[in-house]
């Protein structure tokens, strides 16, 4: 009998309240979540951990989410990427530079986040041979 393992999500969000809400919603939905405050803090976790999904704010100090996603593609190419942002122009840039990434625009309901994450994992399962 195969044991189901909860998908692992790395969450990078610089705003503490938002990070807490997102992490709680994803944990309550059954995911294993590691939440950090910056792209710089996320990098070593990507290098040492095995994450199924990176959920990253785009606009963060030191290293933005797009740069983090580029590092993620090199370090852990099988990790999917979802961006969250409150800036429409930044959302367009993310779509151009990371076309396979999902972009979720703020404000959004936590239910919408969980549904999008579930959809990403469903699509990945369907794509497997």
């Amino acid at each position: 009998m195969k044991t189901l393992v909860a998908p692992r999500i790395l969450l990078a969000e610089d705003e503490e309240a938002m990070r807490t809400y997102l992490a709680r919603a994803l944990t309550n939905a059954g995911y294993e979540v590691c939440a950090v405050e910056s792209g710089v803090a996320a990098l070593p976790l990507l290098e040492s951990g095995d994450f199924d999904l990176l959920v990253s704010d785009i606009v963060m100090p030191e290293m933005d989410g797009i740069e983090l996603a580029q590092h993620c593609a090199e370090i852990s190419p099988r990790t999917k990427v979802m961006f969250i942002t409150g800036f429409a122009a930044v959302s367009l840039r993310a779509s151009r530079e990371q076309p396979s990434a999902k972009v979720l625009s703020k404000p959004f309901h936590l239910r919408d986040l969980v549904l999008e994450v579930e959809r990403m994992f469903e699509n990945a399962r369907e794509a497997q041979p």
Side-chain angles (χ1 to χ4, degrees):
M1 185 165 145
K2 187 175 179 182
T3 306
L4 289 177
V5 178
R8 295 189 71 216
I9 298 174
L10 177 57
L11 170 65
E13 165 63 64
D14 61 321
E15 190 180 315
E16 185 177 0
M18 178 67 88
R19 185 172 62 247
T20 300
Y21 290 131
L22 298 177
R24 186 177 304 137
L26 292 168
T27 300
N28 289 342
Y31 299 104
E32 183 182 328
V33 180
C34 181
V36 295
E37 71 283 350
S38 69
V40 172
L43 264 185
L45 294 173
L46 277 173
E47 291 169 351
S48 65
D50 185 27
F51 292 94
D52 300 294
L53 176 65
L54 167 65
V55 177
S56 178
D57 190 5
I58 295 177
V59 179
M60 294 186 291
E62 298 179 77
M63 177 188 300
D64 69 23
I66 294 172
E67 187 179 348
L68 175 59
Q70 290 166 340
H71 286 294
C72 179
E74 294 167 13
I75 297 167
S76 181
R78 69 166 205 79
T79 301
K80 292 170 190 12
V81 176
M82 176 186 287
F83 293 120
I84 50 178
T85 187
F87 301 95
V90 173
S91 175
L92 290 171
R93 179 177 154 230
S95 296
R96 277 195 309 273
E97 294 190 28
Q98 295 285 326
S100 64
K102 171 70 184 161
V103 180
L104 198 58
S105 294
K106 295 176 188 175
F108 54 81
H109 193 283
L110 292 176
R111 179 180 61 239
D112 295 330
L113 170 70
V114 171
L115 287 172
E116 287 300 332
V117 168
E118 287 173 358
R119 206 170 285 138
M120 289 184 80
F121 286 126
E122 279 175 24
N123 291 343
R125 279 193 295 272
E126 290 170 4
Q128 290 178 350

